[in-house]
Amino acid sequence: MTTAPERIADLYPTRGTTEVSTPRQDPVVWAMPDGEWAQGPIDHADLMGYERDGFLTVDQLITPDEVATYRAELDRLVSDPAIRADERSIIEPKSQDVRSVFEVHKISEVFAKLVSDPRVVGRARQILGSEVYVHQSRINVKPGFGASGFYWHSDFETWHAEDGLPNMRTVSVSIALTENYDTNGGLMIMPGSHKTFLGCAGATPKDNYKKSLQMQDAGTPSDEALTKLADAHGIRLFTGKAGAATWFDCNCMHGSGDNITPYPRSNVFIVFNSMDNPATDPFAAPVPRPEFIGARPPFTPVR
C-alpha cells in the first residue's frame, strides 16, 4: 500500500484574506554542497551585487549578428498563422497582434540553442548553485503605438501560488532584441525588494492564467504595499542596446509601462529553476497552470 507524499511546507503564504509580508527564507545566490558559490561567467563583485539588489545586467550578452538571427526568428514565429492559432500564443487585447509566444524553446530550434548557450545557462547554474531546467520561456513583442504594459508583481508569487514552486531558487533572464529606451515601456525593478515576499490578498480565480497573461489581476499588490516598497528601495528602469540582458531574482517586484512610442520593444525571456526545487502542487490555486506556462514533471536539465 502506498501513501500520498508529505505536503511541502508553505514558506510563503499568499492569496489569503489579507495581504501578508514575509521575510525571505531562502538564499539569493545559492551555494554548492561544499558551501562555496559556484564558478561561472559572473565575477564575484557582480554576484555580490546580484545578492544585494536582486538583478544584474550584461551590456552585450549576444552579438549584433546573433540579435539579427533571433529577431528574424521572432518575426517568423509571430507572423505564422499556425503559431498565432496555437494556445501558446497570447494576443494583445487592443491591437489583436501576437503579444507573447510561450514554450518557445520547444517550438523553435533557434531559441532552443539560445537556452543551452553557456553564456545563458552557465549564469543560471552559477546563481542557483545546481543544474537547472526551463520553468518557462517566451518571446515578447511590444510594438509601438499602444502595446500595454504589465502591472507591478513578483513572479515568484504566481509561480508559488499557481505552479507550485516551493522555494525562491529560480532566476529569469530578459535578452533585448530591440533597443530599450527610457520611453518605450522598459522593465522596472525595485532593487532589494527580493528580500521580502509580499503575499497578496484574494483567492485565485478559475483559469486565472487566461486573463493574467493579458492583464495582471490576482496576485497584484496593494497600492499601499507598493508605495512602501518603492519608498524603501526606489525604482530602477533598464535601458540598453539590443543584445543586452538583465538577470533578475524570481521575487523582485517589477513591472513595465505601456509603449506609446513608435519604437518596438521585443525580448526573449527565459526562466530557469533549480533541479533541486521542482514544482509540486500549487500552494494557492485549485490546479496547476498549463505546462507551456509552468513546466510540470518530469524535468530535464538543460544541457
Side-chain angles (χ1 to χ4, degrees):
M1 179 179 178
T2 60
T3 58
E6 185 178 349
R7 178 60 169 156
I8 296 174
D10 185 356
L11 299 178
Y12 302 103
T14 188
R15 310 282 174 100
T17 55
T18 60
E19 199 169 53
V20 180
S21 178
T22 303
R24 186 185 184 108
Q25 306 295 302
D26 295 305
V28 179
V29 178
W30 288 71
M32 300 292 285
D34 61 5
E36 298 294 325
W37 284 355
Q39 298 298 307
I42 310 171
D43 65 32
H44 185 74
D46 284 343
L47 267 182
M48 291 289 290
Y50 179 88
E51 198 284 333
R52 179 189 66 242
D53 297 328
F55 61 81
L56 66 87
T57 57
V58 178
D59 290 338
Q60 187 177 58
L61 182 72
I62 58 176
T63 67
D65 287 345
E66 290 173 312
V67 169
T69 297
Y70 296 124
R71 277 284 303 278
E73 180 68 352
L74 180 149
D75 291 342
R76 182 189 73 81
L77 291 172
V78 300
S79 62
D80 184 340
I83 297 295
R84 180 186 175 87
D86 194 297
E87 67 172 344
R88 291 173 286 190
S89 292
I90 308 304
I91 307 303
E92 179 72 35
K94 296 178 182 177
S95 67
Q96 291 298 297
D97 292 331
V98 174
R99 173 188 180 127
S100 301
V101 179
F102 279 79
E103 215 169 44
V104 71
H105 70 295
K106 293 186 177 181
I107 293 174
S108 164
E109 292 184 6
V110 174
F111 285 112
K113 290 178 181 178
L114 178 63
V115 166
S116 60
D117 189 305
R119 294 169 296 179
V120 178
V121 70
R123 285 177 167 84
R125 293 188 187 114
Q126 188 177 3
I127 290 168
L128 301 180
S130 68
E131 293 295 326
V132 298
Y133 70 91
V134 176
H135 178 69
Q136 184 188 103
S137 73
R138 67 180 187 262
I139 48 174
N140 294 321
V141 186
K142 202 169 189 179
F145 299 121
S148 55
F150 246 91
Y151 200 66
W152 291 104
H153 64 286
S154 155
D155 286 332
F156 180 75
E157 194 279 335
T158 297
W159 299 339
H160 182 69
E162 300 185 41
D163 298 340
L165 295 192
N167 295 96
M168 295 179 183
R169 201 170 182 177
T170 313
V171 62
S172 302
V173 59
S174 174
I175 304 171
L177 301 182
T178 53
E179 185 159 357
N180 285 258
Y181 300 101
D182 58 5
T183 53
N184 65 340
L187 173 68
M188 295 182 289
I189 291 179
M190 297 183 187
S193 60
H194 63 304
K195 298 292 183 72
T196 302
F197 176 75
L198 192 61
C200 299
T204 306
K206 182 180 179 182
D207 291 337
N208 178 57
Y209 76 93
K210 293 180 180 179
K211 180 180 180 182
S212 68
L213 295 177
Q214 294 181 331
M215 182 148 320
Q216 190 83 0
D217 188 9
T220 301
S222 68
D223 291 352
E224 292 77 13
L226 289 171
T227 300
K228 288 180 180 178
L229 284 173
D231 286 346
H233 301 293
I235 296 173
R236 167 80 182 272
L237 170 67
F238 293 88
T239 59
K241 300 289 187 181
T246 301
W247 294 83
F248 59 102
D249 180 84
C250 57
N251 191 45
C252 282
M253 190 62 66
H254 66 287
S256 63
D258 294 351
N259 182 14
I260 61 172
T261 75
Y263 310 112
R265 177 180 169 260
S266 298
N267 69 302
V268 54
F269 183 79
I270 307 161
V271 180
F272 294 100
N273 188 41
S274 171
M275 288 292 293
D276 297 328
N277 187 45
T280 64
D281 292 336
F283 285 86
V287 295
R289 297 188 300 173
E291 187 170 357
F292 69 85
I293 302 174
R296 306 304 302 171
F299 304 110
T300 302
V302 177
R303 299 297 186 195

